[in-house]
Amino acid sequence: MRTLQRRTTAVLIVSQILGGLGVPIGIALAPVLATEISGTEALSGLAPTASVAGTALLSIPLAALMTSRGRRPGLVLAYLIGALGAGLVVLAAVIENFPLLLLGMAGFGAASSANLQARFAAADLAPPDRRARAISTVVWATTIGAVLGPNIAAPAGRGFAGTSIPQTAGPFLWAAGIFLITGLVVAVLLRPDPLLTARALAPPESQSAQGRSLRAGIAAVKASPQARLALVTVAVTHTVMVSIMVMTPVHLGHHGAGLELVGLVISGHIAGMYAFSPVMGWLSDRVGRLAVIGLAAGLLCFAALLAGTAGPSHAQTAAGLFVLGLGWSAGLVSGSALLTDSVPQQARAAVQGLSDLTMNTAAGIGGAAAGLIVSQAGYGWLNAIGACLLLPMATLALLAARRSTRSPVTTEVETEVKD
């Protein structure tokens, strides 16, 4: 089992590094490209929002495919759809068609869905007391590609100078090729499938096909207060991060930042998201999921304060985005581990798909609203509203901590470790 877990983790790490090279290109350039094609900043938030919406809409079909066929087919299909979407974005830029751009970005979001689902694949075979660290290791692997990706955008764009492809769209061709390679790596090397293996090793009473449906997943979440807290955590954390992040390139542009500087700031933000995830995983396993959820709320509030009051200071904006990434990492790792802990094994794939649907739907709404908020009220107000969204998450975490203090119970992690 240890050898199989190491092999699975290694393949997922490679796929995350490669996928990380492509996904951040959309993060850095989608708002800029949307502004160029539409001619107005009010619609700039719709392109990254379309990507998030695509990630959300594909979460349930991909989860259903993984539930019936395993992680590998779902991840491969997601990367193929992401490559197709990136190609449509380039075509939309060439013919200056805004609706086609949104369609392409929706398909592009499938690659983000694959990167998110990979964290759960890492947890399939992990021991319960190391589950958060398994998740965080795969999340960390995205750092290498994610930090390099935005900085490759400018050279990749210049490579299409003199052609009909705009420089802001050229990097999406790079992303399409990367997604195709990543899908091939997963298809060839992710064997045996971690989810199917974990299911085969589970007790016979937990292998009922009826317990794997989306309805069973919803029932499992309703039955567990901790699962509900986990869903709120990943949804709010992701929404706050996406809403602030997608409008930061536009904010920087207002204060004279070029494409290279925007790429550098986004790289720092993504480094905060991924590079310290092993620390968040270690903390989640050692001091508890609830404590790290509280840490996430504090970091995200501080990030909103830094970025929202930065004004023309590029350095302070970059610092705010870095802390924003740290808060996202703490919330995603602790929330994902708590969610996996809190539901039965047979319902996990469905619940995990429901989690990604919830978080990306909420983030899509936030991203769409972000463009309107910035155009009407400003970047500072966007950060203030983002901080206010954290109140429900912090309140639920506090109530859960009080319940566990008043009536201690043996968690699934403790039970499985004892067994």
Side-chain angles (χ1 to χ4, degrees):
M1 282 298 299
R2 289 182 180 178
T3 301
L4 179 57
Q5 173 65 5
R6 284 196 298 267
R7 173 183 169 82
T8 299
T9 302
V11 174
L12 293 172
I13 286 174
V14 172
S15 71
Q16 290 296 91
I17 292 173
L18 291 173
L21 284 171
V23 171
I25 287 175
I27 295 173
L29 296 181
V32 180
L33 192 57
T35 301
E36 289 181 359
I37 294 177
S38 68
T40 173
E41 286 184 357
L43 299 179
S44 61
L46 290 183
T49 298
S51 178
V52 175
T55 304
L57 291 173
L58 289 166
S59 296
I60 294 301
L62 289 174
L65 178 60
M66 291 180 189
T67 298
S68 61
R69 303 288 297 277
R71 300 286 185 192
R72 185 166 50 87
L75 293 176
V76 170
L77 178 61
Y79 283 120
L80 292 178
I81 296 173
L84 176 62
L88 290 178
V89 168
V90 176
L91 177 61
V94 171
I95 65 176
E96 298 185 349
N97 188 305
F98 190 71
L100 184 60
L101 171 68
L102 299 183
L103 178 63
M105 288 305 303
F108 188 89
S112 295
S113 184
N115 280 8
L116 289 171
Q117 285 289 327
R119 76 191 192 277
F120 291 124
D124 286 333
L125 298 174
D129 62 331
R130 296 185 62 87
R131 190 168 282 151
R133 276 170 280 187
I135 291 171
S136 66
T137 297
V138 172
V139 172
W140 168 85
T142 313
T143 308
I144 300 173
V147 172
L148 291 176
N151 293 291
I152 293 172
R158 287 194 293 268
F160 292 92
T163 70
S164 59
I165 299 176
Q167 290 193 25
T168 48
F172 282 91
L173 278 182
W174 162 272
I178 288 294
F179 293 155
L180 290 175
I181 294 172
T182 308
L184 179 63
V185 168
V186 172
V188 173
L189 298 180
L190 194 62
R191 299 169 184 270
D193 190 281
L195 179 59
L196 299 183
T197 303
R199 189 177 293 160
L201 296 174
E205 61 270 16
S206 67
Q207 297 189 20
S208 169
Q210 292 180 345
R212 302 171 192 166
S213 66
L214 177 60
R215 180 175 299 178
I218 294 173
V221 171
K222 287 182 177 179
S224 171
Q226 287 194 325
R228 294 196 295 272
L229 169 61
L231 274 179
V232 171
T233 296
V234 295
V236 171
T237 297
H238 197 56
T239 300
V240 172
M241 185 275 291
V242 169
S243 300
I244 296 174
M245 177 196 63
V246 296
M247 295 312 300
T248 298
V250 177
H251 168 73
L252 290 170
H254 286 163
H255 297 286
L259 190 59
E260 285 79 3
L261 180 58
V262 170
L264 185 62
V265 171
I266 295 299
S267 292
H269 165 68
I270 294 172
M273 290 172 65
Y274 300 118
F276 295 90
S277 57
V279 176
M280 304 305 177
W282 181 83
L283 287 172
S284 295
D285 284 335
R286 294 301 296 270
V287 303
R289 317 312 194 205
L290 296 179
V292 180
I293 289 173
L295 174 63
L299 287 170
L300 291 169
C301 280
F302 183 50
L305 177 64
L306 281 174
T309 60
S313 173
H314 297 326
Q316 186 173 332
T317 301
L321 265 287
F322 176 75
V323 178
L324 185 72
L326 289 178
W328 177 87
S329 179
L332 185 77
V333 170
S334 59
S336 299
L338 180 63
L339 184 69
T340 305
D341 294 342
S342 305
V343 296
Q345 197 281 335
Q346 70 269 26
R348 282 177 187 163
V351 170
Q352 289 158 356
L354 178 64
S355 169
D356 284 355
L357 171 65
T358 303
M359 66 185 280
N360 286 294
T361 299
I365 295 171
L372 296 175
I373 293 170
V374 170
S375 64
Q376 298 298 320
Y379 185 69
W381 274 104
L382 173 65
N383 282 271
I385 294 171
C388 291
L389 292 177
L390 296 165
L391 291 175
M393 181 183 93
T395 301
L396 286 175
L398 182 60
L399 292 174
R402 287 181 176 178
R403 281 197 303 268
S404 64
T405 301
R406 285 199 299 264
S407 54
V409 294
T410 302
T411 65
E412 182 216 5
V413 171
E414 292 168 343
T415 303
E416 292 189 36
V417 170
K418 289 176 183 177
D419 290 344

